Amino acid sequence: MNAACETCPVRDSAACSVLTEEERSALAAAGRTRVLDRGEMLFAAGDSHAACATLVSGALKVCAIDRDGTEQILALVHPSGFIGELFAPFAHHDVVALTQSTLCTFARADIDRAIDAYPALARALLRRAQEDLLSTRNMLELTANASAETRLAALLHDFAAAASASSCHLASEFELPLNRGEIANMLGLTIETVSRKMGELENLGAIARKGKRGIELVDPALLLTLSGRSSV
Amino acid sequence: MNAACETCPVRDSAACSVLTEEERSALAAAGRTRVLDRGEMLFAAGDSHAACATLVSGALKVCAIDRDGTEQILALVHPSGFIGELFAPFAHHDVVALTQSTLCTFARADIDRAIDAYPALARALLRRAQEDLLSTRNMLELTANASAETRLAALLHDFAAAASASSCHLASEFELPLNRGEIANMLGLTIETVSRKMGELENLGAIARKGKRGIELVDPALLLTLSGRSSV
DNA sequence: CGCATACTTGACGTCATTCAAACCGTGTGG
DNA sequence: CCACACGGTTTGAATGACGTCAAGTATGCG
């Protein structure tokens, strides 16, 4: 079914890129392509038949809903990212599309079989899981101590890095994948505070706002300083 | 060398428990037992030859040091937990013993080989990585929005769960594995705030303090309510 | 044009931090 | 045996950062 593999934009970077051509075809036969519009849900917390998926294009958010009904964004998923809890009996979090997204989805049983059949896949997924763990810990480090300004600077810095093709350089201009409410939500702040701090970062000369979503990096070094991170 | 496997307290719960007897022996031959005293470091952020390890007894903390020299605890490791970044060129965080701890350590190259040789091990490590990811996300959810009281209640609740043998029940009395400074550090609070909220939780009748480190759960249901979590 | 949605800006209140001092258990030396 | 110092902890008062509430400004869509 997925002759799509041949033209897949993430065929060289997704987890399945470690497979041989035949292995990949076999796996592709079990998967199916799915398109989600902004706001559509891949699966919800509590789903027991939650699928697994590789994100081909677009962006997803992973979020928790606490008792009082407020949502908390825990992570973003970018193209070539893998999503899915392989061992939990049910999903712990919601996964929702931030923009129109295309995914390559698999039933969990199929991924399970593939892990056993292709050791390289298990290794690739392990690597991804450890990278996810690392980025979640970075977020944790940020939200635990840092001021609102530092958190926002770090997030903008990350977005600039994600928006750039090369991993070692920042995009000098990019569109925010999130609206103010979602940014606030990710950083554990309020919309108003994000708005104010955005203004302050602009006054400091670190960034310039281009419309509602556009950001230009005026002084990347200053932004890095404000973000409280020493390295890239 | 590790005839110790036979009497290992975590032989049925650690990652290596999925191996056959022969496989386990082969792996054990590559590992060595190590004992750390409180405060001793397994490896530091930046180490390129960082070992991997299964924690046999005791407790570890994973922490980041930000530019201004303050430490931030990102995770705790309990017995049977696995520690080590298999794919990063160098360690991103410090790993330090909280109490005297015994570990079963391996050179990364050996674990690497074992992953390829024993698919079941790769699967077990993947499972652990996903569980670690989940617990880190829970911490993230907590520190992003919750009040000081909620954070502390949740942490105490987690400790009560960890201190109990059965996973579905809470220990009614336990010793905190951390001092006030470390608790504050984990929760992104100050020592003083932790101390105050600890007093308030006692006044509310949720807990009773037994000396500096001892905690008795007077009203577990109340503690759960205060922790803002609906389920276990 | 009118309404809806997203964002910005201001005034005020609250909660955690900061700074400071007291407290307590433990070990050490006179 | 007591005095003392020291680390960990508790408590108090004042400051400040972020949240809340409320109004005002775009931008887009029917």
Side-chain angles (χ1 to χ4, degrees):
Chain A
M1 67 153 307
N2 276 6
C5 278
E6 280 148 34
T7 58
C8 176
V10 297
R11 62 169 283 135
D12 295 323
S13 52
C16 54
S17 68
V18 299
L19 298 176
T20 65
E21 283 306 319
E22 306 105 64
E23 289 170 345
R24 189 204 292 266
S25 308
L27 184 58
R32 57 182 273 269
T33 299
R34 188 163 167 201
V35 177
L36 296 180
D37 282 332
R38 171 170 176 89
E40 272 194 282
M41 207 178 282
L42 176 60
F43 56 78
D47 282 5
S48 55
H49 55 289
C52 300
T54 286
L55 181 62
V56 174
S57 72
L60 308 177
K61 63 180 174 183
V62 177
C63 45
I65 312 288
D66 19 342
R67 241 179 341 183
D68 57 355
T70 60
E71 150 184 321
Q72 159 75 26
I73 300 180
L74 298 170
L76 301 182
V77 184
H78 298 291
S80 88
F82 182 84
I83 196 86
E85 301 181 66
L86 273 51
F87 303 100
F90 51 85
H92 288 77
H93 303 300
D94 294 352
V95 175
V96 179
L98 284 169
T99 65
Q100 181 177 300
S101 302
T102 72
L103 303 103
C104 192
T105 67
F106 302 92
R108 214 166 66 176
D110 290 324
I111 286 288
D112 226 46
R113 271 192 289 275
I115 286 177
D116 286 334
Y118 316 128
L121 183 64
R123 177 188 270 280
L125 290 179
L126 178 56
R127 176 177 202 143
R128 265 170 205 288
Q130 294 213 351
E131 284 167 358
D132 287 353
L133 181 58
L134 203 61
S135 69
T136 304
R137 284 183 176 166
N138 283 338
M139 276 300 299
L140 183 58
E141 191 182 348
L142 203 65
T143 46
N145 300 323
S147 68
E149 191 169 276
T150 301
R151 295 186 210 185
L152 184 56
L155 191 73
L156 292 177
H157 188 268
D158 284 355
F159 284 159
S164 154
S166 107
S167 60
C168 57
H169 212 260
L170 302 181
S172 68
E173 204 162 339
F174 61 95
E175 291 281 307
L176 289 170
L178 306 172
N179 63 24
R180 292 287 182 277
E182 289 164 333
I183 293 175
N185 183 314
M186 264 197 93
L187 298 177
L189 302 170
T190 58
I191 294 179
E192 295 92 326
T193 302
V194 170
S195 189
R196 274 186 260 270
K197 296 303 174 187
M198 202 78 96
E200 287 180 27
L201 289 180
E202 189 166 30
N203 290 340
L204 287 170
I207 62 168
R209 282 181 284 186
K210 306 284 185 180
K212 285 186 189 301
R213 295 278 190 109
I215 297 288
E216 180 193 341
L217 261 57
V218 178
D219 188 342
L222 176 58
L223 190 67
L224 182 59
T225 306
L226 293 171
S227 78
R229 301 199 178 147
S230 23
S231 62
V232 178
Chain B
M1 71 150 308
N2 276 6
C5 278
E6 280 148 35
T7 59
C8 177
V10 297
R11 63 168 284 135
D12 295 324
S13 53
C16 54
S17 68
V18 300
L19 298 177
T20 65
E21 283 305 318
E22 304 106 66
E23 289 171 347
R24 190 204 292 265
S25 309
L27 184 59
R32 56 182 273 269
T33 300
R34 189 164 166 200
V35 177
L36 296 179
D37 282 331
R38 170 171 176 90
E40 273 195 280
M41 206 178 281
L42 176 60
F43 55 79
D47 282 5
S48 55
H49 55 289
C52 299
T54 287
L55 181 62
V56 175
S57 72
L60 308 177
K61 62 179 175 183
V62 177
C63 45
I65 312 288
D66 16 343
R67 240 179 342 183
D68 57 355
T70 61
E71 147 185 324
Q72 160 74 26
I73 299 180
L74 298 171
L76 301 182
V77 184
H78 298 291
S80 88
F82 182 84
I83 195 87
E85 301 181 67
L86 272 53
F87 303 101
F90 51 83
H92 287 77
H93 304 299
D94 294 352
V95 175
V96 179
L98 284 170
T99 65
Q100 181 178 300
S101 301
T102 72
L103 303 102
C104 192
T105 67
F106 302 92
R108 213 166 67 176
D110 289 324
I111 287 288
D112 225 46
R113 271 192 290 274
I115 286 177
D116 287 334
Y118 318 127
L121 183 63
R123 181 193 263 291
L125 290 179
L126 178 55
R127 176 176 202 146
R128 264 167 205 291
Q130 293 212 352
E131 285 167 357
D132 287 352
L133 181 59
L134 202 60
S135 69
T136 303
R137 283 183 177 165
N138 283 339
M139 276 299 301
L140 183 58
E141 190 184 348
L142 203 64
T143 47
N145 300 324
S147 69
E149 190 169 275
T150 301
R151 295 186 209 185
L152 184 56
L155 191 73
L156 292 177
H157 188 269
D158 285 355
F159 283 160
S164 152
S166 105
S167 60
C168 57
H169 211 259
L170 302 181
S172 67
E173 203 161 338
F174 61 94
E175 292 281 307
L176 290 169
L178 305 172
N179 64 23
R180 293 285 182 280
E182 288 164 333
I183 293 174
N185 184 314
M186 261 196 98
L187 297 177
L189 302 171
T190 59
I191 293 179
E192 295 92 325
T193 303
V194 170
S195 188
R196 274 186 259 271
K197 297 304 173 187
M198 201 78 95
E200 287 179 27
L201 289 180
E202 190 165 30
N203 290 340
L204 287 170
I207 62 169
R209 282 180 284 186
K210 305 286 185 180
K212 285 186 190 301
R213 295 279 190 106
I215 296 288
E216 181 193 340
L217 260 57
V218 178
D219 188 343
L222 177 59
L223 190 66
L224 182 59
T225 307
L226 293 170
S227 79
R229 304 204 175 140
S230 24
S231 62
V232 178

